[in-house]
């Protein structure tokens, strides 16, 4: 998606530096998987095919690891391909109640029906109402984000749905964030990445962007990663802080 196709006609607002926090951004860049989408229903998909429900979390962490590993050696592959192939490998040898290929397809189809987290519709609406531009930058495909937002009724708030598939490198590689900034025509100091993943916060921070960590589960932030500029328990909380 070229930057000339992104709608930059949103109302202009003053974005002064705050004495109590980072400069209010002109652009918010949202992670999608787990940050906006609620992936908990995927556990039932595993259970439906005869696999342990807890394997869903292990599988998702593993596919992210493999995407990062490819990025570390200057390579890349699509989220869908890595997800399906890692499923094929992870389900091997389990007493499934259907064929392996059918089980992989059934679990992958679960992405098409995921909901957003409860705080997302109101939070995105509130953030959009502040006059801040909103886009996504996902390690997944833009079509998955499009369908997710259409179901949730929030697509109108996003001027663009960006994916690392067009950047050629998965987050948290710096090239991924640079791609989003270039597409949106924004300098790093005017952008903020919003994510639930500390690794995404760290990568964005190292690329010069401001960051907001969404911590819905009262978790701990790893000290070996760059600390987020803002910490929020929900997107509505983040909107309150930025507003």
């Amino acid at each position: 998606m070229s930057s000339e196709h992104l709608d930059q006609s949103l109302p202009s607002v003053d974005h002064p530096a705050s004495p109590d926090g980072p400069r209010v951004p002109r652009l918010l860049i949202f992670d999608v998987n787990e940050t906006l989408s609620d992936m908990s229903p995927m556990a039932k998909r595993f259970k439906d095919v005869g696999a342990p429900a807890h394997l869903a979390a292990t599988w998702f962490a593993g596919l992210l690891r493999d995407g990062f590993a490819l990025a570390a050696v200057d390579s890349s592959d699509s989220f869908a391909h890595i997800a399906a192939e890692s499923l094929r490998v992870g389900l091997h040898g389990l007493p499934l109640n259907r064929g392996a290929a059918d089980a992989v397809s059934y679990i992958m189809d679960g992405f098409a029906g995921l909901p957003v987290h409860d705080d997302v519709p109101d939070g995105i609406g509130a953030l959009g109402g502040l006059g801040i531009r909103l886009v996504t930058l996902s390690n997944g495909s833009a079509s998955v984000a499009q369908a997710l937002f259409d179901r949730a009724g929030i697509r109108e708030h996003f001027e663009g749905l960006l994916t690392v598939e067009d950047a050629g490198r998965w987050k948290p590689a710096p090239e991924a964030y640079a791609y989003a900034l270039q597409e949106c025509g924004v300098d790093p100091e005017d952008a903020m990445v919003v994510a639930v993943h500390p690794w995404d916060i760290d990568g964005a921070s190292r690329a010069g962007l401001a960051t907001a960590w969404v911590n819905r589960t009262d978790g701990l932030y790893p000290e070996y990663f760059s600390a987020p500029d803002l910490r929020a328990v929900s997107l509505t909380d983040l909107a309150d802080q930025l507003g």
Side-chain angles (χ1 to χ4, degrees):
M1 180 185 296
S2 170
S3 59
E4 67 183 7
H5 294 140
L6 294 183
D7 181 8
Q8 302 184 33
S9 62
L10 295 175
S12 61
V13 294
D14 189 23
H15 298 264
S18 167
D20 299 320
R23 178 175 177 171
V24 177
R26 298 183 183 279
L27 177 73
L28 289 178
I29 303 173
F30 289 85
D31 176 53
V32 177
N33 290 322
E34 294 189 306
T35 297
L36 299 179
S37 67
D38 178 1
M39 292 190 59
S40 60
M42 296 298 285
K44 183 178 183 302
R45 291 259 163 178
F46 276 78
K47 188 175 180 180
D48 288 346
V49 302
H54 66 78
L55 191 60
T58 304
W59 159 70
F60 188 72
L63 77 90
L64 290 178
R65 175 205 63 204
D66 291 350
F68 300 161
L70 289 173
V73 294
D74 295 336
S75 185
S76 184
D77 203 339
S78 72
F79 180 93
H81 185 222
I82 295 176
E85 182 63 7
S86 61
L87 268 177
R88 185 184 69 85
V89 173
L91 295 176
H92 179 70
L94 295 179
L96 304 178
N97 56 28
R98 64 190 72 191
D102 184 40
V104 169
S105 295
Y106 178 79
I107 293 174
M108 289 296 295
D109 287 346
F111 280 105
L114 291 178
V116 295
H117 290 286
D118 291 342
D119 62 294
V120 170
D122 288 344
I124 291 297
L127 289 165
L130 297 177
I132 304 174
R133 298 167 58 193
L134 311 182
V135 300
T136 65
L137 179 63
S138 177
N139 280 339
S141 71
S143 62
V144 169
Q146 174 77 50
L148 176 73
F149 295 170
D150 285 344
R151 291 193 300 275
I154 59 173
R155 176 61 182 90
E156 63 181 328
H157 297 291
F158 291 87
E159 65 174 75
L161 306 180
L162 305 179
T163 170
V164 300
E165 292 178 2
D166 296 323
R169 195 71 54 82
W170 276 42
K171 296 182 297 176
E175 294 88 347
Y177 305 103
Y179 159 75
L181 295 173
Q182 181 179 10
E183 289 295 291
C184 297
V186 172
D187 293 328
E189 60 268 22
D190 288 325
M192 174 179 282
V193 164
V194 181
V196 299
H197 304 116
W199 55 261
D200 204 352
I201 297 298
D202 180 74
S205 179
R206 293 177 189 276
L209 291 78
T211 57
W213 181 46
V214 181
N215 181 16
R216 295 187 179 95
T217 60
D218 193 29
L220 296 178
Y221 192 90
E223 292 185 356
Y224 46 77
F225 283 146
S226 301
D229 294 297
L230 292 178
R231 298 171 185 247
V233 298
S234 66
L235 293 191
T236 49
D237 178 29
L238 178 60
D240 288 342
Q241 293 187 50
L242 292 178

